[in-house]
Every structure is written in C-alpha cells, then in structure tokens.
Amino acid sequence: QVQLVESGGGLVQPGTSLTLLCAASGDTLDYYAVAWFRQAPGKEREGIAYMTMSNGRTYYPDSMKGRFAISRDNAKNTVYLQIDGLKPEDTAVYYCAAGRFGIATILSLGRPDRYSYWGQGTQVTVSS
C-alpha cells in the first residue's frame, strides 16, 4: 500500500512556473511507476507525465512535451512535477498516481485505470 498526497497548487499568473509535489508514504516509490494526471471541469482526466519504476525513464504525451517535467527523489519518497509557462488552460486538479507495471509503454502508462494509487489532487488555477 502506498499513500499519495499532492501539494503545491494554488492561484498563479500566466507565464510563471510551478512545482507540484507528491509525497508518498506506506511504501517506497522504488516499487512503482509514477505519473501525473490532471482533470479540468467537464473534461476527462488526461496524462501529463510518466516515470517508470525500474530506471526512472520519463515519458510525455506529445501534447505535454516541453512545458512539463516529472522527477522523483527516492530518498525523500517524493514525486515532482515542474510546470513552465503556465497558461489558463492548465487550470485543473492535478493528481499524482502510482502503479505497478510489467511492460511499461507510453500507452499503458497513460491509462488512468492502470494506476492503483491516487492522491487527493491539488488545484492549480492560472489567472488570465
């Protein structure tokens, strides 16, 4: 079992940067692939960034490449998401997720149903 708690969200200005944190407890993140998803009102949950368990390789959907960066500090058992160049359309609840994968591909990593553990989400609101 692993528990995830996101933090770092808030009201921010367009064009600024923000780093979200996902603190894990109950188990080491070494055993899990981790990911960030977001969900805006009325929208489906969409993947932002993924990181494999084995070697920390990162994957990003094409639409997310460039402005997002996922990382993790295993010593702190924490996952991070750096967002650059924030835009109003980035406004959403951001979720951290963890799951165990066999063969991990960007397609499998991008499926929310493949993740067993989720945080409560942190709200990011980008003003215009």
Side-chain angles (χ1 to χ4, degrees):
Q1 289 283 101
V2 59
Q3 294 78 47
L4 305 173
V5 179
E6 302 94 337
S7 62
L11 178 62
V12 295
Q13 294 181 325
T16 61
S17 297
L18 186 67
T19 299
L20 305 181
L21 293 81
C22 174
S25 62
D27 204 356
T28 174
L29 290 176
D30 291 348
Y31 298 129
Y32 302 92
V34 295
W36 285 94
F37 291 79
R38 71 182 183 187
Q39 189 164 21
K43 302 292 185 179
E44 295 182 351
R45 189 164 298 189
E46 62 177 346
I48 302 169
Y50 325 113
M51 179 176 288
T52 60
M53 171 188 67
S54 58
N55 60 4
R57 184 173 179 179
T58 58
Y59 299 86
Y60 303 89
D62 288 341
S63 62
M64 299 296 176
K65 292 179 179 178
R67 297 196 300 115
F68 299 88
I70 187 173
S71 62
R72 64 174 157 186
D73 186 336
N74 288 332
K76 297 181 178 180
N77 219 22
T78 300
V79 184
Y80 305 90
L81 179 69
Q82 181 177 339
I83 313 172
D84 296 324
L86 283 159
K87 303 176 180 179
E89 54 262 40
D90 292 325
T91 297
V93 178
Y94 285 71
Y95 297 92
C96 178
R100 294 186 178 184
F101 289 75
I103 301 174
T105 67
I106 191 168
L107 290 178
S108 62
L109 290 165
R111 293 180 55 178
D113 59 290
R114 297 293 303 275
Y115 293 86
S116 299
Y117 306 102
W118 293 83
Q120 84 290 347
T122 184
Q123 176 72 48
V124 175
T125 302
V126 185
S127 65
S128 60

